Amino acid sequence: MRTARGRRRRRRRHPAYARDVTICRCPGRVCPSACLLPLLASGPTERAVRGTADRPVPARGGRPTHGAAVDGAGVPRRKKASSAVASPSGSAPSDGRVAESGSESVSVLGSALGTEFGINEWLVDEFRQRYRDDPDSVDLVWRDYFRAAPPAGAVARPPLGAASDPRDDDLAAKAVRVAALIHAYRVRGHLLAATDPLAAGRAGGHRDLDPSGHGLEAADGPRVFAVDGFAGRQEMSLDDVLTRLRTAYCGTTGIEYMHIQDPLERRWIQQRAEGPQRPFDRAEQLGILHRLGSAEAFETFLHTKYVGHKRYSLEGGEATIVLLDTLLESAARVGTREVVLGMAHRGRLNVLANIVGKPLARIFGEFEDTPDITSAHGSGDVKYHLGAEGTFHASDGHEVAVRVVANPSHLEIVGPVAEGIVRGRQDLADGSHGDFRVLPVVVHGDAALAGQGVVAETLNMSQLPGYRTGGTVHVVIDNQLGFTTAADRARSGTYATDVARTVAAPVLHVNGDDPEAVVRAARTAFDYRQAFGKDVVIDLVCYRRHGHSEVDDPSITQPAMYDRIAERPSVRRLYARELLRTGAIDAQEEERSRRRHREELDRAFTETAAATGPGRATPPIPPTRGSGEADVRPRTAAGEATLRRVLNTQTDLPPGFTAHPRVLPQLRRRAAMLDAGNVDWATAEALAFGSLLLEGVPVRLAGEDSRRGTFGQRHAVLTDRRTGREHIPLNTLGPDAARFTPYDSLLSELAVLAFEYGYALARPDALVLWEAQFGDFVNGAQTVVDEYIASSEQKWGERSGVTLLLPHGLEGQGPDHSSARVERFLQLCADDNITVAAPSLPANYFHLLRQQGLDPRRRPLVVFTPKSMLRLKAATSRLEDFTGGSFRPVLPDTVPDPGRVERVLLCSGKVAHDLDAHRRATGDTRTAVVRLECLYPFPSAELRAELGRFPAATEVRWVQEEPANQGAWTFAAPRIAPLLRCFLSCVSRPAASAPAVGSARLHTAEQQDLVRRAFA
């Protein structure tokens, strides 16, 4: 308190605290300078009225402080000089509140240019010297000031007490207002852009974009002001500034980018937007017209030949084809290896035909095979869900591979799947994702982009170490309408793309009826991605000529909108008219182009009709797993030398590395477990991963706490206790070993699991694992489980080997930390689609992981992993369990005399140890405990053999700790019953709507009762 009072007394005695000084009341010790900004755009009268407001000025350390002397204008007092310079060059304040104020000057201190700072002059000189030595050593507000201000001594100061020239005073003030106007257009110019093809005219005015709102008058139009590099100029008249601003930001393209924190990125976009635009030559214009013609002809042909069929047409948004064509042309020219395209239904068939190069005859054949749109395409899915691969041929001879990812009707879920495929392709091609030469392009609908939360999750991945792909180009086909929901009822923000601002992605809003602007936007977006490795969004504002599908009548809910659409010519017709007007083409050339498109479509249609005539169609044959594949399981045992080599990495730390004192003892115990014969779960997992790495199988593990392990068991990554340096022991196995890449994921299940599914799809050579923090949380990714993991092979012929590790077990932790919902996964099991396992011993887990990593026929694997079993002494394995044997889907009982057994308890997972402990405690020798380690594919042969060891009259019970309506009972019972000659009963908790109780005491009582009833 004495120190604080002393500081206050000293401040009151300081000359800067005279009676005529006002004190800034901004909260805290440091003022953010935001209170200065509104004054810059105020007129003289308003400023005079507001001149007594409290304001800060910069002080020592380059940050504004409170209580320095200020004048009525809210800036440091200083006499006016004869020079005025504005600084609109782009270094907007980094504080988000400041950067969003459209009427503020880029240079907060711009109004102090050429002025004297009185008693603070020495401090300003000190900051100026620091700025000269290192601009980054002072705050942004000072950097802007010194960059805009004339060098010290360059401006002649009038004698002390001499009156300043009023004309110079006015020029100085208005130069700052011009800078504020430029900044306002950069921030909010997109609000006046003519991006809506259905709008009657340009959007209404905005005060921040009106020169009068900045104290500028019509008479100022011809006056020349210093603009410090705006549009590549040092000086411009106000009229020229306004013309350039409106051309750059208020044409048919509007740009949002001033929310980006990096000034280099902002300046890059400013140079692209504000600089001169190269006109399109005739060849480029003809190329655009050709692409528009192809897109329109395709949709028109389908609309006339397949009336009543759903196809989710691109009519009204045909410029999408021009946009994608431009992106792929740019990608091909710079040597991009592949473009991976994720998109939903709208325009998908058009993209497959005109971008990917899928033969028209195949597309028409799919229509012929599905007269009823509700029937499945082929053996798997409707035609507008299917993926495809092809080669895009650029106009200059370059080419690039292109892949469209298959997707379900669940909008936007394809986005993270596509990102995972891209990252997998990058890692596969380079051994790392270093050069990002695989380009992800994700096409969104406007309503889905704003409405689906997975979009925000996927954007959040974009710069994270385990998920970055070098930047995604997002294309929004903005129909300005959902199914029937208008935009003002579908989102709270201004744009559907507002979510992209959360990751500082620039957004280019472009009118879909200006194809040349679309091409420029696509080139800018691609070049930005290449330059900065970040996501970028193109909002293609267009319309939907038909309803959500072609069988829907949109005029029922949007009559006015669809009246305007009915009267509007297509973008191809509009562009052809413009080229006819300028003489780029003649009418005959346009007609020849249309005829060529029509003839190509007619030929393909004729071929399709001939191939699918009466008697020629054949019923689809569902794909059969394993056809042509040998039914040979890989050898999963590992040599002792290999196992010891892996364990040595756990304690062989780098020189000078200080392991955490709580972790190092665990690592030492782990290294001794082979000799002690008590290998636990985490050690078995490390042995599986390490031995796979030595056999050349990469291992990727991701999850919310996966590097350490939710339960502190894994420690795949060690952190130096003193320096924070990280060390991955399994990556020290030698140069010939594959890489182990463990990642802590963002706090997401839906997008992250979709990403890992896509990654595994692209990396069939790797073991790819996703671990839930608790198995309960996988229900947040149920869409991925249902639509991809369980059914992708049946629907699309795609096989992903992704592995899910789901901690499961009722242990008194409540209903949300107990169950991975075994029943839900088992309900999805059919067609040999997935493997579902619940191993109860570390060695069996070891063999299961190695089997998954080495089996070329791998399918998705779901493992219900332990929690308390991680440290259970009974749940350990010996050295010989790893050097011999394989994964056992049924673990037999060790009862001494099977012939005397009167009761067999069948179970799975942790409850087996509870039953065995009770049996040992009571000395029961007449009860056998048989564990089902694999639940699907159901091990009928192995279980029949095990049950055959016991007398025929033996009672058989299924025991599970889950409620009767959950767990494996309803799945296992009809598969076990045919193997028995007796009645099968179930011992479980009563059926319940929740997985477990919330009371640990009640849980314990329930568990004890469950075990007691199993032996009763």
Side-chain angles (χ1 to χ4, degrees), residues 609-618:
T612 59
R616 293 179 180 269
T618 57

Side-chain angles (χ1 to χ4, degrees), residues 27-105:
R29 292 179 56 83
V30 178
C31 172
S33 299
C35 55
L36 281 175
L37 295 171
L39 299 174
L40 294 172
S42 305
T45 302
E46 184 180 358
R47 290 175 63 179
V49 172
R50 297 170 61 188
T52 58
D54 300 330
R55 289 168 292 274
V57 295
R60 186 176 299 276
R63 291 189 176 275
T65 61
H66 302 270
V70 294
D71 65 10
V75 295
R77 285 202 305 264
R78 193 178 182 191
K79 296 176 183 178
K80 299 292 191 296
S82 59
S83 176
V85 183
S87 178
S89 60
S91 295
S94 61
D95 188 306
R97 294 165 298 177
V98 177
E100 285 301 304
S101 301
S103 62
E104 298 96 349
S105 170

Side-chain angles (χ1 to χ4, degrees), residues 888-912:
R888 295 183 290 174
V890 175
L891 284 184
D893 189 69
T894 57
V895 63
D897 186 359
R900 298 182 59 191
V901 168
E902 298 175 355
R903 180 190 303 115
V904 175
L905 303 181
L906 300 178
C907 59
S908 183
K910 178 183 73 70
V911 72

Side-chain angles (χ1 to χ4, degrees), residues 853-865:
L854 297 172
D855 192 345
R857 305 167 304 160
R858 70 186 64 146
R859 65 193 78 176
L861 170 64
V862 179
V863 186
F864 300 109
T865 56

Side-chain angles (χ1 to χ4, degrees), residues 287-301:
I288 292 172
L289 184 63
H290 173 76
R291 280 302 188 187
L292 290 174
S294 298
E296 181 180 276
F298 179 82
E299 298 293 354
T300 303
F301 189 87

Side-chain angles (χ1 to χ4, degrees), residues 522-596:
R523 290 173 178 170
T524 298
F526 179 81
D527 292 345
Y528 175 88
R529 186 265 182 184
Q530 294 298 103
F532 299 105
K534 289 180 56 182
D535 285 23
V536 57
V537 179
I538 304 173
D539 181 18
L540 183 70
V541 185
C542 52
Y543 56 90
R544 194 180 66 201
R545 190 166 291 278
H546 305 290
H548 176 65
S549 69
E550 290 65 33
V551 300
D552 182 55
D553 183 359
S555 66
I556 296 173
T557 51
Q558 278 79 30
M561 181 182 195
Y562 273 84
D563 285 345
R564 294 196 299 273
I565 290 173
E567 297 171 356
R568 184 146 187 94
S570 69
V571 60
R572 187 206 64 80
R573 291 184 182 181
L574 292 172
Y575 191 59
R577 288 179 191 174
E578 178 63 18
L579 296 187
L580 286 168
R581 186 188 66 80
T582 60
I585 62 171
D586 55 34
Q588 292 78 15
E589 193 169 9
E590 183 202 6
E591 180 57 33
R592 284 196 300 271
S593 175
R594 294 179 61 188
R595 192 184 309 118
R596 283 196 298 269

Side-chain angles (χ1 to χ4, degrees), residues 890 938-947 979:
V890 175
F938 193 78
S940 298
E942 293 87 345
L943 182 57
R944 179 184 286 110
E946 176 62 14
L947 293 174
L979 309 179

